[in-house]
Amino acid sequence: MKKHLGKQIILWVGSFLLLLLILSACNSNGNASVPQEKENEKTTQSDVQAEESETTVQYTTITGEQVEISADPKRVVYIGQTTGDFLAMDIPVIGNNLPQDPASYYGDKLEGIVDIGNPASLETILTLKPDLIINGYYKSDPNLNEELSKIATTIPFNPALPYTERVKEMGNILGKQEEVDKMIAKFETQSKEMFDKLQLAEGETATVFYQLGKMLYVMGDRNFGAIIYGENGFAVPPAVQKNIIDVEGVSFLEVSEEVLPEFAGDHLFVIVQEDGESEAEADRLLQSPIWGTLPAVKKGNVYVVPNEWNTDNLLALEQLYKKLPEWMHKQ
């Protein structure tokens, strides 16, 4: 009897010890899984944050506002007239206030872009589901930027800057700084090659006139002026420098025929708006007595330029550097 009871006690003790061993193992495994789960959670959060930082970037707008924008936008709406910059840089523009009579240098590159109207239609932009809106009209309509921001991240943009400054800003917005640097270097090389062909004398000047209806303007160093002036180009006539370029916020000046001798340089480029009144006024100007007294006219240094080339957008530059020598009969 005692012998049997001893065996039972031994079995109970063994079972109890085995139970303690099992419980200890379970607790040990459970406690080890808690920090491991927390570690996995931290890693997942870190991966998400890293992914977010790669897909968005912080950008300070020209109005001083800090915004978060997509690092690689796929659906861009651009409100402005320098659409050729975006096309030349292969930026996916899905909407734009398209020109009613597109310049020849656009070719078929505007196909597939939705016309958002001018002024821009918020309803049309909303249907396009953009991930970025670049607003070149923010100064003319301050309320527009706020309304556009309700649709997608909106960047105020200044399309009136010289093309080098303008496309550098585009590179900063769109993360294409390296591509922009290469593009600017390419155009600077083409500009130098063009002016080397023209063989300008040191200090040789040029003036750009613009005929719009009955109004005659002298242009500064924007648009077509940005092409002919600069390090390798024509010198700026003193009157153009003083009355236009050196005056903040002024890019052109209305003039009368009486002051033409003051502004006229060694070469005269005449841009004519493509309508009946402008063309008639330009013909009258070119036949006027005072025009005939200008030294550039007497030397035959007058070149009539189609209005569509009054631009410095990147898409036009590809052809402008070839056309300008042709207009000057120095191919």
Side-chain angles (χ1 to χ4, degrees):
M1 179 75 177
K2 291 181 180 178
K3 194 172 186 181
H4 180 71
L5 182 61
K7 285 183 179 180
Q8 285 184 331
I9 291 172
I10 291 171
L11 286 172
W12 289 342
V13 171
S15 299
F16 180 72
L17 291 174
L18 180 60
L19 178 61
L20 289 176
L21 182 62
I22 292 171
L23 291 173
S24 175
C26 289
N27 288 337
S28 175
N29 289 338
N31 290 338
S33 66
V34 171
Q36 183 62 45
E37 288 174 2
K38 290 184 177 179
E39 186 64 31
N40 290 341
E41 184 179 345
K42 288 180 180 177
T43 302
T44 302
Q45 290 175 345
S46 176
D47 290 343
V48 170
Q49 290 172 351
E51 184 178 347
E52 287 179 350
S53 67
E54 290 175 359
T55 56
T56 62
V57 294
Q58 292 293 323
Y59 175 77
T60 303
T61 71
I62 56 178
T63 56
E65 182 185 3
Q66 278 276 350
V67 294
E68 189 174 80
I69 60 179
S70 171
D72 185 24
K74 301 296 185 184
R75 300 182 62 80
V76 178
V77 167
Y78 172 55
I79 305 173
Q81 297 181 340
T82 53
T83 316
D85 292 343
F86 292 80
L87 298 175
M89 293 170 63
D90 294 324
I91 294 168
V93 174
I94 58 171
N96 175 247
N97 49 309
L98 296 174
Q100 296 304 306
D101 187 18
S104 60
Y105 52 78
Y106 280 115
D108 60 357
K109 294 183 179 294
L110 295 175
E111 292 182 6
I113 299 177
V114 174
D115 187 2
I116 60 174
N118 193 9
S121 166
L122 296 175
E123 291 79 7
T124 302
I125 296 174
L126 183 62
T127 62
L128 295 176
K129 299 180 180 179
D131 51 15
L132 181 65
I133 302 172
I134 298 178
N135 180 18
Y137 288 171
Y138 77 99
K139 284 186 177 180
S140 59
D141 186 357
N143 295 325
L144 178 60
N145 218 65
E146 183 178 351
E147 294 299 320
L148 291 170
S149 297
K150 297 176 183 177
I151 300 174
T153 300
T154 301
I155 305 295
F157 181 71
N158 184 6
L161 293 171
Y163 88 88
T164 51
E165 297 178 34
R166 192 173 66 239
V167 297
K168 282 180 180 178
E169 187 67 11
M170 290 173 60
N172 292 334
I173 295 171
L174 298 155
K176 292 180 174 287
Q177 293 91 339
E178 187 175 342
E179 293 95 323
V180 164
D181 289 341
K182 290 180 180 178
M183 191 165 289
I184 290 175
K186 179 186 75 172
F187 286 130
E188 287 178 345
T189 299
Q190 291 180 352
S191 175
K192 185 178 185 306
E193 290 174 350
M194 177 187 72
F195 283 112
D196 285 346
K197 182 183 295 185
L198 296 178
Q199 297 181 331
L200 302 180
E202 185 175 354
E204 197 167 352
T205 60
T207 305
V208 181
F209 290 104
Y210 186 85
Q211 186 75 56
L212 177 60
K214 293 184 177 182
M215 313 298 288
L216 180 65
Y217 298 92
V218 177
M219 312 302 290
D221 58 351
R222 297 291 187 267
N223 298 319
F224 186 74
I227 309 304
I228 69 166
Y229 298 133
E231 182 179 355
N232 302 309
F234 291 98
V236 180
V240 175
Q241 185 72 45
K242 177 183 176 181
N243 295 284
I244 302 176
I245 297 176
D246 289 346
V247 181
E248 185 176 356
V250 175
S251 56
F252 57 86
L253 181 69
E254 183 185 350
V255 294
S256 62
E257 293 183 18
E258 289 73 23
V259 299
L260 288 178
E262 180 183 350
F263 286 91
D266 300 315
H267 297 262
L268 306 178
F269 294 90
V270 183
I271 299 173
V272 183
Q273 179 72 25
E274 296 169 353
D275 62 66
E277 184 179 41
S278 299
E279 291 168 354
E281 284 296 318
D283 289 340
R284 187 195 60 77
L285 172 69
L286 298 180
Q287 300 298 323
S288 66
I290 195 167
W291 183 264
T293 65
L294 302 176
V297 177
K298 293 179 178 180
K299 295 178 180 178
N301 294 338
V302 178
Y303 324 103
V304 177
V305 177
N307 180 54
E308 66 176 357
W309 296 103
N310 184 29
T311 181
D312 64 346
N313 81 62
L314 300 187
L315 203 61
L317 289 185
E318 293 282 2
Q319 301 176 50
L320 259 174
Y321 290 128
K322 298 176 182 178
K323 286 186 171 293
L324 197 144
E326 293 176 2
W327 293 328
M328 297 180 67
H329 313 295
K330 295 186 178 183
Q331 294 90 328

